[in-house]
Amino acid sequence: MEQEIPKIFEEAQDFMPINGTDYIEMYVSNSKQAAHFYQTAFGFQPLAYAGLSTGRKDSESYVLVQGKIRLMLTSPLSKGTEIGRHIDDHGDGVKTIALWVENATYAYHEAVKRGAKSFFEPTEESDNEGRIVKSGIYTYGETTHVFMERKDYNGTFLPAFQKWESPYQPAEIGLNYIDHMVGNVALGEMNQWVEFYKKVMGFAQIVSFDDKDISTEYTALMSKVVSNGNGRIKFPINEPAVGKRRSQIEEYLDFYGTGGVQHIAVATDNIIETVSQLRQRGVDFLHVPDNYYDVVLDRVGEIDEDLQPLKDLNILIDRDDEGYLLQIFTKPVGPRPTVFFEIIQRKGAQSFGKGNFQALFEAIEREQALRGTL
Ligand code: FE2
């Protein structure tokens, strides 16, 4: 979808043009069952597969698609693998945010020259559908960015993957594209990673929250948002702020072991329908107290939707200068209180919902108290 470029993004130095998110790869302990979950609960469709039957010996990957979102789920096939070690250290989590670029060799050399740590050097792969070039760098924790150049490729997904044919195709639920992906980093490291995205990737900082904006009695966080030049890639980066008790960001860091992706925000054009579907399919969301809805319209003003279905579904509302947005957060999708999803519908607003940040924060804290990890 073509987006208008707000002025705020023009500060980005676009030496590394990025067309969008290419795919997200999660390392998971059971890729086959995880794929079933994302099909059944989130309405992702089967796209591509690589594993024993395609000649891959050490791991297997299922790739699912919905709208412009491609999700790759990878598990190891034997003991002692790097993927297995990653899962042992972090639990299921996001390993790679792949970025679709025009030139993966240039992007890699430019990023490394500007201080990025290499994940892997530019590598070409081809099959009878053409060729791709990919390269990779590290970002916070063990998370990586893969630069994907696919202008000379016409296949289903990537060389070495087969089309994944499955008769099991629960209906899509209206997820269109990745709106943003949030990283949690250790105390004192937020500015360093903001600088990383500015210097290494040419991003601009577009928003910041501090602990005066977002805090509860016990915990606080600080957050800054970086974006690339066309605004299609937005990465909020959170660090814990000092509070009376363990913050949710610290809880994440304790369970994940390092910095990592906290949530994946996916956009829909009809959040009421999307969230109704997700709830029917068994996805758990954070609960917002009913009294949130008593005063929310005083805060955000008039909206197109009826308030009642938003309240019934626990969808949050926030406004900025350009419009408003509707959003909701799932509970963590794995056993550890780490990665979760956000569903977002933007109605003009380009921001991230400071008021909702606060509501989210309080909701997570209630969950934390139930887990006994506050
Ligand atoms: Fe978010």
Side-chain angles (χ1 to χ4, degrees), residues 3 8 12 23 61 67 70 103 114 153 196-197 264 270 293-294 298 324 333 336 343-344 354 366:
Q3 297 176 345
I8 201 149
Y23 65 87
S61 295
R70 285 188 290 232
N103 187 328
R114 291 161 186 261
Y153 192 68
F196 169 89
Y197 280 105
I264 303 166
N270 186 343
Y293 295 93
D294 296 345
D298 299 338
Y324 67 98
V333 288
R336 301 191 198 192
I343 314 298
I344 184 167
K354 193 157 82 177
R366 282 191 293 277

Side-chain angles (χ1 to χ4, degrees), residues 177-328:
Y177 58 91
I178 305 286
D179 187 273
H180 60 275
M181 292 186 67
V182 179
N184 282 344
V185 301
L187 183 63
E189 291 186 3
M190 175 182 67
N191 285 328
Q192 170 193 327
W193 289 107
V194 168
E195 285 310 307
F196 169 89
Y197 280 105
K198 284 182 176 173
K199 188 171 149 221
V200 169
M201 312 274 286
F203 285 22
Q205 185 190 320
I206 58 170
V207 192
S208 90
F209 302 122
D210 67 20
D211 51 354
K212 285 182 279 308
D213 293 321
I214 306 156
S215 64
T216 63
E217 187 182 351
Y218 298 122
T219 59
L221 72 74
M222 296 195 286
S223 186
K224 288 183 177 174
V225 184
V226 291
S227 169
N228 78 321
N230 60 22
R232 290 181 196 169
I233 308 292
K234 297 188 206 87
F235 295 144
I237 297 170
N238 298 333
E239 73 170 28
V242 178
K244 285 187 205 157
R245 295 207 200 165
R246 179 159 71 160
S247 77
Q248 58 173 276
I249 311 299
E250 285 173 273
E251 184 195 35
Y252 174 101
L253 294 167
D254 288 347
F255 279 92
Y256 201 75
T258 60
V261 171
Q262 180 208 38
H263 72 263
I264 303 166
V266 289
T268 172
D269 289 333
N270 186 343
I271 197 167
I272 292 174
E273 179 56 29
T274 296
V275 174
S276 299
Q277 278 292 325
L278 286 165
R279 285 193 181 277
Q280 278 171 34
R281 296 171 183 213
V283 175
D284 292 327
F285 291 92
L286 291 182
H287 182 72
V288 196
D290 282 356
N291 62 17
Y292 172 87
Y293 295 93
D294 296 345
V295 293
V296 69
L297 293 184
D298 299 338
R299 182 162 62 80
V300 302
E302 211 168 285
I303 57 171
D304 301 336
E305 294 74 13
D306 289 334
L307 190 61
Q308 194 58 44
L310 299 176
K311 183 177 176 178
D312 292 344
L313 293 166
N314 265 231
I315 293 165
L316 305 166
I317 314 154
D318 210 2
R319 181 176 285 281
D320 66 15
D321 297 341
E322 295 167 282
Y324 67 98
L325 60 82
L326 304 165
Q327 63 186 163
I328 190 168

Side-chain angles (χ1 to χ4, degrees), residues 101-122:
V101 298
E102 288 302 309
N103 187 328
T105 307
Y106 171 79
Y108 175 86
H109 289 299
E110 202 63 26
V112 168
K113 188 176 83 187
R114 291 161 186 261
K117 180 181 159 197
S118 175
F119 178 37
F120 62 88
E121 293 191 351

